[in-house]
Amino acid sequence: MGDSVHPGYASLDLAPFRHLPALAWSEDLYRVDEALTDLVDRHAARLLAEHGGGVAPDRREPALRLAARLAGRTPAGSDDLDARIAALRHLAAGTFDLVERAAAVYPAWLRGDPGPEAALLGPGAAGLWERYFSNDNLPYAAVNGIAAFAADRRAAGRPLSVLEVGGGCGSAAEALLERIASRLVEYRFTDVQPWFLRRGEDLLRRRFPGVPLSVGRLDLDRDLGEQGVGPASFDLVHAVNTLHVARPV
């Protein structure tokens, strides 16, 4: 790709974003996002061409969304896209790998086969999600960085007791603790999945051995008081990529 600035990135007005963490508006993130968009378009075009006629009745809407996505768009050439992805893999391998896995199992899912969900969400996919939910994966690190920035600004420099819900593999906590570890009173790291709790605790205890950390299961779909979290018992509640899986109130 050389040292030249991407023309699309160069045309952006970045002034409104310069107070945010640099990774959230970097040229690297722009290039990764562009390549991911083109990769999804390529897979969508292939899926519709090869499997569009074999869609289960209850899965026609997702197929129609793929078709709408491609309306008026021309997928990028394979050689150019493959070269760009190869050059960017060190920044976002976790995201590229997840897209490829989803594309591989999506045809069977469109036909109505329930098996692909296990391929993405079963025990065999744990490593895939660990690489995705990581600050080594630039698209996810950008999300964590913005959330940590917002939480730190909200905290306004004071001592804090923090509850994190849906902590996952610990990358959101890692980004936040890099900002606030020195003024923590307590950090309670929670999730509903034991595997996530183990992975998150391992990461945080290695990275921040002196932090007052407690770890436990917390289910947002149950009454929090019954799980030991009373009203106004924490200064800050932190949640990244979490509320979409909670039951609507």
Side-chain angles (χ1 to χ4, degrees):
M1 292 186 296
D3 296 326
S4 60
V5 177
H6 190 292
Y9 181 79
S11 69
L12 298 177
D13 177 12
L14 297 173
F17 309 105
R18 292 194 183 276
H19 66 292
L20 296 174
L23 80 170
W25 48 270
S26 66
E27 184 181 357
D28 282 342
L29 184 61
Y30 183 93
R31 289 181 182 273
V32 166
D33 180 72
E34 180 186 59
L36 284 168
T37 298
D38 289 342
L39 180 62
V40 172
D41 284 351
R42 181 169 77 180
H43 282 307
R46 177 184 60 80
L47 286 167
L48 290 175
E50 296 176 2
H51 308 284
V55 178
D58 64 339
R59 294 179 183 177
R60 287 174 182 162
E61 185 176 343
L64 290 174
R65 286 202 297 268
L66 288 181
R69 174 189 175 89
L70 294 174
R73 300 169 67 97
T74 302
S78 292
D79 291 343
D80 169 70
L81 178 55
D82 291 342
R84 285 188 286 139
I85 290 174
L88 294 166
R89 277 197 65 82
H90 68 289
L91 297 171
T95 301
F96 289 125
D97 290 346
L98 184 59
V99 170
E100 294 290 0
R101 175 76 67 88
V105 302
Y106 208 69
W109 184 84
L110 283 175
R111 293 193 300 269
D113 185 345
E117 294 185 22
L120 279 177
L121 301 174
L128 182 74
W129 289 104
E130 188 173 10
R131 292 190 298 276
Y132 176 75
F133 294 127
S134 167
N135 288 320
D136 292 329
N137 179 30
L138 179 58
Y140 206 75
V143 173
N144 286 335
I146 291 173
F149 167 82
D152 186 20
R153 185 169 65 172
R154 179 72 174 174
R158 57 194 169 88
L160 288 170
S161 59
V162 180
L163 170 67
E164 182 176 0
V165 295
C169 293
S171 62
E174 180 182 34
L176 180 58
L177 289 174
E178 286 175 350
R179 288 177 171 269
I180 68 167
S182 64
R183 60 183 197 271
L184 270 179
V185 175
E186 176 189 4
Y187 198 98
R188 188 182 299 185
F189 178 84
T190 71
D191 202 286
V192 292
Q193 294 292 342
W195 184 85
F196 280 142
L197 288 173
R198 289 193 299 270
R199 300 304 295 175
E201 181 177 14
D202 179 63
L203 170 66
L204 298 178
R205 293 202 186 280
R206 282 189 289 105
R207 283 293 320 277
F208 308 96
V211 161
L213 176 71
S214 62
V215 178
R217 190 177 188 277
L218 188 70
D219 187 346
L220 289 180
D221 290 338
R222 293 175 48 215
D223 182 88
L224 296 185
E226 295 177 356
Q227 301 174 79
V229 179
S233 54
F234 290 89
D235 302 305
L236 177 69
V237 177
H238 196 55
V240 177
N241 198 21
T242 297
L243 296 181
H244 66 288
V245 296
R247 185 172 60 234
V249 177

